[in-house]
Amino acid sequence: MIVKSLAAAALAFLPLAVQAQSTALPTDPAADWSVATSEHRVAVEGGKVWVRVNGTIGEGATPVIFIHGGPGGTHLGFGGLLSLADQRPVILYDQLDSGMSDHPEDPKNWRPERFVAELEAIRKELGIARWHVIGHSWGSALALEYAAAYPEHTASAVLSGTFISTPHWITGTNLLIRDLPDDVAAAIRACEGPKPPAAAICGPATAAFYAAYNGRPDRPAPSPAAIAYRTRYGGKGFNAKVYNAMWGPTEFRASGSLASYDATHLLSRIDGKRVMFVVGQYDEARLDTVQDFVALTPGAELAVVPGGSHAFIGERPDVAEAIYRDWMARIDAREASE
């Protein structure tokens, strides 16, 4: 699901994370796209989260914050979108217990409402009145919950690689398994059963699922800048403990605290004209499922990334950037005219 998928895609792109070094920032952040204009440690329930900003708050267009997936993922998949800072401040962060943020690893913190409160704490700390919230996978659920709870601070909400309901997600992944070659589908079902076969069978079958729906073989190779970025900002990386506790062992089976999670009722509480869903053509989130979400959100838009899977931000970076850039520019223009 959720961001184990995004994290797995990021891991496929880049070498193993190393502990980030604490170094002084150069005077010209534009000289290196991996360098933040400012970095912050924001106090939240349970500890402090690491936040980076490219651009100056209060200058340029309405800021945007990108919300990573997981649970337990990191911001790394959004590194290539820092180019959006030529128009507006771009904010990336790692959720508590992930990446560069504190790792108390206290299960009491692993609640959707705490993750939403984390976003609001960041907004207050940075002094932002309104911002665009763009979530991917599990981050979509947080973007939706935030937009419903804080409409006065939400210029728009983008739900990418959309996870907002575990029952819908599990139904979707099972349909996707059915579409795989018969031998692969049979192997995955066996591996999800009470007596799974050996890893030599389960590993390749799971890899085939990811190659189809989350990290397609034609994705671009990592650039030197991306490799350098992960080296500097990888922190402690993906947190499997959080993922397993909140979600479960695989993309196909939810046994954690999110097993019955369903936020579709919130779609009727938000302003659909300020909502966009984005999925890859071959996304784990399944286009049919997301179209149902769009239908429940009057006025919402849907963008599909051709040739992209759940990892479309890394696979089709130019298309993803263009979609987000155009969407925010149109929302900003609408707000300016109101």
Side-chain angles (χ1 to χ4, degrees), residues 265-284:
H265 65 284
L266 296 179
L267 296 175
S268 64
R269 290 175 45 186
I270 57 178
D271 182 356
K273 296 187 296 298
R274 297 180 180 275
V275 176
M276 180 171 65
F277 297 83
V278 187
V279 291
Q281 180 181 354
Y282 307 109
D283 204 309
E284 270 186 307

Side-chain angles (χ1 to χ4, degrees), residues 59-128:
E59 297 180 5
T62 302
V64 58
I65 186 166
F66 286 92
I67 310 167
H68 66 73
T74 76
H75 76 287
L76 290 173
F78 298 132
L81 294 172
L82 293 172
S83 53
L84 293 169
D86 65 346
Q87 291 183 332
R88 68 188 69 245
V90 174
I91 303 151
L92 306 181
Y93 79 109
D94 286 330
Q95 294 159 23
L96 194 69
D97 282 314
S98 299
M100 300 273 287
S101 292
D102 287 357
H103 282 63
E105 297 197 350
D106 184 346
K108 291 188 299 184
N109 294 321
W110 302 342
R111 314 182 320 274
E113 61 271 23
R114 195 213 60 81
F115 287 100
V116 174
E118 191 173 77
L119 280 166
E120 179 63 359
I122 294 170
R123 184 196 67 79
K124 289 180 177 178
E125 177 71 18
L126 298 180
I128 296 171

Side-chain angles (χ1 to χ4, degrees), residues 5-31:
S5 47
L6 184 58
L11 288 171
F13 275 105
L14 300 169
L16 293 175
V18 299
Q19 185 66 36
Q21 301 276 326
S22 176
T23 58
L25 301 181
T27 55
D28 180 13

Side-chain angles (χ1 to χ4, degrees), residues 120-145:
E120 179 63 359
I122 294 170
R123 184 196 67 79
K124 289 180 177 178
E125 177 71 18
L126 298 180
I128 296 171
R130 287 171 66 78
W131 57 1
H132 299 279
V133 291
I134 298 182
H136 188 90
S137 202
W138 151 250
S140 290
L142 298 181
L144 173 58
E145 295 238 17

Side-chain angles (χ1 to χ4, degrees), residues 312-334:
F312 65 80
I313 292 174
E315 293 167 337
R316 306 290 183 265
D318 293 344
V319 177
E321 178 185 331
I323 289 171
Y324 296 137
R325 187 181 292 274
D326 174 74
W327 166 258
M328 291 187 288
R330 287 189 289 116
I331 293 294
D332 290 349
R334 185 188 307 166

Side-chain angles (χ1 to χ4, degrees), residues 159 162 164-165 167-169 171-172 175 264-265 267-268 277 279 285-298 300-302:
L159 314 182
T162 314
I164 58 173
S165 165
H168 286 82
W169 184 275
T171 297
L175 289 171
T264 53
H265 65 284
L267 296 175
S268 64
F277 297 83
V279 291
R286 285 195 85 245
L287 178 57
D288 287 353
T289 301
V290 177
Q291 285 176 318
D292 289 340
F293 296 153
V294 175
L296 292 171
T297 318
E301 295 188 15
L302 170 63

